Amino acid sequence: MIAFVLKRLPAAVAVVAFATAAFAQDFPKRPVTMIVPFAAGGTSDVIARTVAEQMGIALGQTIVIENVAGAGGSTALARASRAEPDGYTIAIGNAGTNAATYTIYPKLPFTPDSFVPIAMVAKTFGIIAVRKDFPAKDLKEFIAYAKANPGKINLGHAGVGSSNYLICKSFVTAAGIDATLVGYRGAAPALTDAIGGQIDGVCDAAASVSQSINEKLAGGLVVGSTVRLATLPDLPTSAEAGLPEFEAQGWNGLFAPKGTPPAVIAKLNAAARTAVEADAVKKRFADLSTVAPDPDEHTPEVLQKLVTRDVEKYRKMLADDAK
């Protein structure tokens, strides 16, 4: 009986392989859901919608955006990790949701191995902005004010573990200030409260906050980049502002649940590559001070290396934040 089963095994494997290949060839037959771990209007949401539209064209199917906010993105990633691994549910993530979160929330129902990387789709730049009537008008004045008023300044972010939270942590550490970090269910509501004066400022990505700064609804202090942004030519880099230790260059990538067939991942990767090379995405990214990955950065392997690197990086930085 055992010999019979062993003889039959190669045939069974061949059948499964054939079925998987056939499934991948027909993929997708219906709309694909892309889970965004934050409220609508924030950086991840804007990037997701921009990329999803062009990916849908490449795949010949609509990609539906589903915003699942909460716990710095962990609620969404838990949902994505439980999805059927067939390519019809994917998620957009960043260094916060897919790396830092494992230190901040060590009891999560998922691990880095719960996901298969598809592709990096964007590189982002962090900005510190304040309400338009804040007493300090530049970074030097802001730091002086913060040190004279320890614990009294509050900066909004998209939730503990989000990329915006990491911008906040990097900034207050580099500046050596004591500020209260206020978590929201996304970058958009945090920025809304900063504009309305409910909080002093935000740690945000250029994609979300550039327009508000240009429209004088908020005041930009610094961008954590080595070069100035075309959309904010007057905003100094961290080195120019006297705080070179502040670095805030991040990434956004697409992930699928573990077990998603490699052939399906390859199709999604190809669609994502086509999307970021589209003129419409390039223009939108330029407006958002967001950069598409270089051609050699667009592989699943590159995204996996980013996750592995940042898991270790934030394990050291955020050890005190573990819950």
Side-chain angles (χ1 to χ4, degrees):
M1 180 64 179
I2 293 177
F4 175 78
V5 171
L6 289 176
K7 287 181 180 179
R8 286 295 189 116
L9 188 57
V13 171
V15 170
V16 171
F18 177 80
T20 300
F23 173 81
Q25 186 175 5
D26 292 339
F27 174 85
K29 286 186 173 181
R30 62 179 190 272
V32 173
T33 295
M34 183 185 293
I35 297 176
V36 178
F38 304 103
T43 302
S44 293
D45 180 69
V46 174
I47 291 173
R49 292 175 188 276
T50 301
V51 173
E53 181 178 1
Q54 294 298 320
M55 280 186 68
I57 294 173
L59 290 169
Q61 286 286 351
T62 302
I63 295 186
V64 179
I65 300 296
E66 181 181 346
N67 295 92
V68 182
S74 298
T75 302
L77 269 293
R79 152 112 165 71
S81 70
R82 295 191 299 266
E84 189 71 24
D86 55 10
Y88 286 99
T89 300
I90 61 177
I92 189 167
N94 53 44
T97 59
N98 289 77
T101 191
Y102 300 111
T103 293
I104 297 170
Y105 303 105
K107 298 181 180 180
L108 290 171
F110 57 89
T111 71
D113 292 333
S114 299
F115 303 98
V116 180
I118 298 171
M120 176 169 55
V121 293
K123 293 187 280 189
T124 60
F125 305 93
I127 287 174
I128 306 301
V130 293
R131 54 184 169 85
K132 61 183 179 181
D133 59 347
F134 192 82
K137 300 306 178 185
D138 59 32
L139 184 62
K140 183 177 179 181
E141 289 184 8
F142 179 87
I143 293 175
Y145 184 92
K147 289 184 175 179
N149 298 274
K152 293 184 179 180
I153 290 178
N154 42 62
L155 298 173
H157 57 80
V160 175
S162 67
S163 61
N164 290 1
Y165 176 73
L166 302 180
I167 295 172
C168 274
K169 289 288 289 187
S170 298
F171 174 66
V172 298
T173 300
I177 61 175
D178 177 11
T180 300
L181 306 184
V182 184
Y184 286 78
R185 292 177 68 84
L191 179 58
T192 297
D193 272 8
I195 291 172
Q198 281 75 43
I199 55 176
D200 294 314
V202 290
C203 310
D204 208 340
S208 296
V209 75
S210 294
Q211 183 176 347
S212 297
I213 294 174
N214 282 326
E215 293 177 356
K216 309 299 182 184
L217 298 175
L221 293 180
V222 63
V223 55
S225 170
T226 56
V227 295
R228 292 199 180 201
L229 304 180
T231 52
L232 294 168
D234 297 328
L235 186 66
T237 67
S238 50
E240 292 171 335
L243 193 66
E245 299 84 2
F246 173 51
E247 298 179 358
Q249 299 187 45
W251 51 266
N252 283 88
L254 301 179
F255 298 86
K258 178 182 179 180
T260 302
V264 172
I265 294 295
K267 271 201 168 184
L268 291 167
N269 176 274
R273 184 189 297 269
T274 298
V276 299
E277 291 175 350
D279 289 340
V281 172
K282 289 181 179 178
K283 183 180 184 305
R284 182 62 172 143
F285 275 12
D287 293 340
L288 297 169
S289 293
T290 297
V291 178
D294 296 332
D296 61 350
E297 296 177 316
H298 203 73
T299 66
E301 292 76 17
V302 167
L303 181 55
Q304 184 59 58
K305 287 180 181 179
L306 287 173
V307 171
T308 301
R309 179 200 70 184
D310 286 348
V311 166
E312 184 58 29
K313 173 183 176 180
Y314 293 117
R315 180 177 289 123
K316 296 176 181 177
M317 179 187 292
L318 305 173
D320 293 340
D321 291 336
K323 295 185 178 181

